[in-house]
Amino acid sequence: MNNIEGKTEIVGKLFSSDFFFTVPYYQRPFAWDDENFTNLIDDLMSALGEQQYFLGTLVLHKKEGKGIYDVVDGQQRLTSHLILTACCRDLIDDSMFKSQLQNKIIQEENKVDGIAAKPRIEVKDRAIFNEMILTVKGTAAQKKSSDLVEPENRYVNAVRIFRDRLLPQTQDFLQKFSQFINQKCVLIYLSTTSFDDAFKLFTIVNDRGKQLRRIDILKAQNISPNVVPAETVRNRLAQEWESLEKSLGETILESILHMMRLIYVKEKPQEDLYSEFEKRIYKKGLLAPGEKFIDQVSSYGNLYQQIFLDKDYLDTDTEQHIRFKAMINIMNQEFAASEWKACILSFAMKFSTDGFYDFVLVIEKVYLKDWVGGVRKDERFATYSNVLRAIENSAKSSDVLTALAADTKQIEKVLCSSNFYGSSYVRYFLLRLEVLASEHSTYKEYNAKSIEHVFPQTVKPGSDWSKDPDIGEHKDVVNTIGNLILLSKGKNSSASNHEFAQKKEKYLKTRVSDYPRSIQILAEPDWTIAKIKIRSTKIVTEILGNP
């Protein structure tokens, strides 16, 4: 790495005419939360009076022009400090002090010397920043964070937390506090004129707070001047990425990138996400960095939105569309791992809607087989890698379905368990029974609150339950699938032990109305151990049928 400059500088110097910062297009949005803001101001107030206070490290990319820098790492801290400075400015009465603080936030216009007004930092969220931070008295504006979207609401939250701490303080304290921040608080900045060197610095420097994520580095790498020379194209790709992240959320977008990694590599990861793309995808020619990469991320992101979020991937005029929505809803709710989603995305990308719903049902069985079998994560990667290879090697969607025909014997075996209630997958199978029992003329979303034993787990001596002719088998059947139903409300342990007629009327009736299969219990005149056994056997033969 060449042309690296490193220096310790006080905050007051960083917010002067020697430095102007820009949050570049590849950066993540302003993302500090209430805890970050609270910790910052509490730490500073506690440190007041110390000789020097270290705030962290900045990684900067020096641009052409005097003192102009892109912030590679540290934008959260810099932005928060300017918000804090603006709060002090608006609470201090002394006009000269107030003006000097404002000059830390924005360079004042000097018509004599031909110097234009210029913010010390240009953020991505310019409208809210201009209104609340650059404008004098902006932090005094009454705004509700709940009325704003991400990340604008974070500026309002920061102002609220800072002002709550500062409002009770005296004017003398506010001035001394502002002086302490500007004169005694220091940061180390590392800067380089090379974009690539700046990111190498980032990988070895740990700053406090919200750091640039690996997906941000992936984004930066793929819209860097070295990869995409045309600035207009870089800006378009950056906007495309930001639009995708805003619609999906950063967590889902990162998950999609992990799915893409699996789709291309078809093996378990060996390194972090950034290195996986760099070494195992780009260098092997599986996908070109730059415009093609961003376009693929966008394609997979839009596909993910249609399939897993909007659930409108299939033609809405078909009954199959409603069945698909019902199934993908419960799979989304209950399937913890995400590799199965990568397989569905891969299939849809290659075959579109041809055989799509049938493939979803096949993948469901693949997942369930691993789930009930307690398959480890490493083995799970092998399973889905094989599925992805089958998709890649198949000319027709039907070839994939044939190759992946699942053996359900292991699933059926666990469904017969005497302690099915104690399994991690009990809720999923009960939800699946509700989907099977539904009429698919209209879509209904099932979200179960709790699971109820119809025949109580604890039987009171002398109750009608205790008089069941097969009561000796109680422990063997009470936790089986035939005795379990879903409730739309929380459980009431005392009501659970009522006699069956009373339990139906006063407890179950208001709690099973959302579930077509559970409602069937209300029509039963009695509930016996013999009936549970018959019901369990019937369920096992039906539960894996296709909705």
Side-chain angles (χ1 to χ4, degrees):
M1 291 186 284
N2 301 316
N3 302 317
I4 295 175
E5 179 184 1
K7 192 173 181 181
T8 300
E9 204 66 87
I10 59 172
V11 168
K13 180 72 170 177
L14 289 171
F15 293 133
S16 71
S17 58
D18 290 339
F19 293 88
F20 289 96
F21 302 105
T22 299
V23 177
Y25 50 81
Y26 54 76
Q27 274 281 14
R28 71 184 304 182
F30 187 49
W32 263 20
D33 55 27
D34 289 7
E35 184 179 2
N36 295 121
F37 301 134
T38 301
N39 289 342
L40 174 63
I41 192 166
D42 286 352
D43 287 351
L44 288 170
M45 293 179 83
S46 298
L48 182 62
E50 293 182 10
Q51 287 299 308
Q52 196 174 75
Y53 184 72
F54 177 62
L55 287 171
T57 305
L58 300 178
V59 177
L60 308 172
H61 176 206
K62 194 174 191 309
K63 310 288 283 186
E64 292 182 5
K66 181 185 175 183
I68 299 175
Y69 298 87
D70 277 354
V71 183
V72 178
D73 194 32
Q75 68 126 333
Q76 308 290 334
R77 185 165 296 278
L78 278 178
T79 305
S80 298
H81 270 284
L82 274 189
I83 297 172
L84 179 56
T85 300
C87 289
C88 291
R89 172 201 65 198
D90 293 341
L91 289 171
I92 288 174
D93 296 332
D94 186 283
S95 59
M96 181 176 292
F97 208 102
K98 185 188 292 283
S99 175
Q100 290 168 349
L101 283 179
Q102 175 67 355
N103 200 41
K104 295 294 179 185
I105 298 168
I106 184 170
Q107 175 181 268
E108 294 181 351
E109 182 183 22
N110 185 330
K111 293 183 178 179
V112 175
D113 295 330
I115 298 173
K118 184 177 177 64
R120 299 295 177 196
I121 183 169
E122 292 188 2
V123 300
K124 297 167 77 173
D125 319 298
R126 293 185 181 181
I128 190 77
F129 191 78
N130 291 350
E131 181 183 353
M132 296 194 70
I133 312 307
L134 298 187
T135 304
V136 175
K137 296 184 180 179
T139 66
Q142 298 296 314
K143 285 184 175 291
K144 292 182 179 180
S145 60
S146 57
D147 295 336
L148 300 169
V149 298
E150 292 276 2
E152 287 86 352
N153 59 346
R154 297 184 184 274
Y155 291 89
V156 176
N157 290 338
V159 167
R160 170 180 51 80
I161 289 168
F162 293 157
R163 283 179 65 89
D164 284 349
R165 290 290 196 279
L166 296 173
L167 274 169
Q169 308 302 328
T170 65
Q171 288 292 309
D172 182 60
F173 177 91
L174 292 173
Q175 291 190 20
K176 287 181 178 177
F177 184 59
S178 300
Q179 290 169 334
F180 168 72
I181 292 172
N182 282 276
Q183 298 173 23
K184 300 297 183 182
C185 293
V186 300
L187 292 108
I188 294 175
Y189 77 84
L190 302 170
S191 72
T192 175
T193 56
S194 164
F195 180 92
D196 290 335
D197 285 349
F199 278 93
K200 287 177 183 175
L201 281 173
F202 162 74
T203 61
I204 60 174
V205 172
N206 290 318
D207 191 18
R208 302 195 308 179
K210 292 278 186 183
Q211 298 180 24
L212 202 62
R213 303 156 298 173
R214 289 292 176 182
I215 65 168
D216 295 313
I217 303 176
L218 263 178
K219 172 188 171 185
Q221 177 201 42
N222 280 278
I223 53 180
S224 72
N226 293 337
V227 178
V228 184
E231 185 176 0
T232 54
V233 178
R234 290 200 304 273
N235 289 336
R236 176 181 67 80
L237 295 176
Q239 289 172 4
E240 193 175 324
W241 183 288
E242 287 185 14
S243 175
L244 199 62
E245 184 166 357
K246 194 166 187 178
S247 64
L248 294 172
E250 63 180 64
T251 302
I252 289 178
L253 179 57
E254 184 165 359
S255 178
I256 290 169
L257 288 166
H258 282 284
M259 293 176 207
M260 286 178 62
R261 185 217 68 82
L262 179 59
I263 290 168
Y264 280 102
V265 178
K266 299 177 181 65
E267 291 179 2
K268 69 179 182 180
Q270 297 173 357
E271 298 186 64
D272 62 79
L273 185 64
Y274 171 80
S275 299
E276 285 283 307
F277 272 92
E278 179 69 25
K279 296 177 183 178
R280 306 182 75 188
I281 296 177
Y282 302 147
K283 286 188 177 179
K284 292 186 177 181
L286 299 177
L287 177 65
E291 194 167 0
K292 288 187 177 179
F293 168 80
I294 301 290
D295 286 345
Q296 276 294 83
V297 173
S298 183
S299 294
Y300 277 110
N302 292 331
L303 198 56
Y304 186 99
Q305 178 86 38
Q306 286 182 281
I307 295 170
F308 300 107
L309 301 180
D310 297 337
K311 308 181 188 74
D312 61 359
Y313 185 61
L314 295 178
D315 188 342
T316 56
D317 294 331
T318 65
E319 189 176 291
Q320 195 177 76
H321 162 72
I322 297 173
R323 296 173 190 271
F324 161 72
K325 287 185 73 172
M327 286 301 297
I328 210 69
N329 176 61
I330 64 170
M331 290 165 72
N332 261 339
Q333 281 185 54
E334 302 297 325
F335 288 5
S338 62
E339 295 88 358
W340 64 278
K341 291 184 177 180
C343 296
I344 290 177
L345 288 175
S346 178
F347 186 94
M349 189 67 79
K350 183 168 183 177
F351 300 109
S352 187
T353 58
D354 183 32
F356 178 76
Y357 180 57
D358 291 332
F359 180 77
V360 170
L361 296 176
V362 167
I363 281 297
E364 180 215 18
K365 306 299 190 304
V366 171
Y367 186 97
L368 290 175
K369 185 178 178 182
D370 280 357
W371 195 3
V372 303
V375 171
R376 300 193 315 271
K377 189 173 183 178
D378 284 357
E379 295 172 315
R380 198 169 67 232
F381 270 113
T383 298
Y384 294 108
S385 295
N386 288 334
V387 172
L388 290 167
R389 290 189 189 97
I391 295 169
E392 184 178 54
N393 296 329
S394 296
K396 298 181 296 183
S397 63
S398 57
D399 294 339
V400 182
L401 301 177
T402 301
L404 299 178
D407 180 0
T408 60
K409 289 180 181 177
Q410 188 175 6
I411 304 173
E412 292 165 6
K413 183 178 179 180
V414 300
L415 289 168
C416 299
S417 169
S418 61
N419 189 29
F420 189 73
Y421 176 70
S423 67
S424 61
Y425 36 79
V426 57
R427 187 187 302 270
Y428 179 80
F429 281 105
L430 292 177
L431 284 167
R432 197 180 201 285
L433 285 171
E434 298 297 343
V435 172
L436 285 169
S438 299
E439 294 181 4
H440 295 291
S441 55
T442 57
Y443 172 60
K444 187 168 181 62
E445 200 165 278
Y446 297 110
N447 300 288
K449 291 285 186 182
S450 55
I451 298 169
E452 176 67 21
H453 293 75
V454 182
F455 201 113
Q457 290 175 287
T458 303
V459 177
K460 292 181 179 179
S463 66
D464 288 345
W465 298 111
S466 68
K467 298 170 185 174
D468 189 292
D470 300 310
I471 193 64
E473 300 178 59
H474 173 259
K475 289 184 179 179
D476 296 327
V477 301
V478 70
N479 290 318
T480 59
I481 194 168
N483 190 45
L484 305 174
I485 58 171
L486 294 175
L487 302 181
S488 58
K489 299 178 182 178
K491 294 179 69 169
N492 181 328
S493 56
S494 60
S496 293
N497 294 325
H498 288 331
E499 300 293 4
F500 185 58
Q502 185 183 15
K503 185 173 184 175
K504 284 194 301 179
E505 187 63 30
K506 295 188 176 180
Y507 178 48
L508 296 180
K509 192 174 183 179
T510 59
R511 286 172 164 81
V512 300
S513 57
D514 293 337
Y515 308 114
R517 172 184 168 271
S518 298
I519 286 175
Q520 296 169 6
I521 304 298
L522 302 179
E524 296 288 340
D526 57 9
W527 195 256
T528 65
I529 288 174
K531 189 170 287 187
I532 294 171
K533 291 162 70 175
I534 294 169
R535 185 178 172 86
S536 292
T537 301
K538 186 173 185 290
I539 286 172
V540 172
T541 61
E542 298 176 348
I543 193 170
L544 295 177
N546 292 337

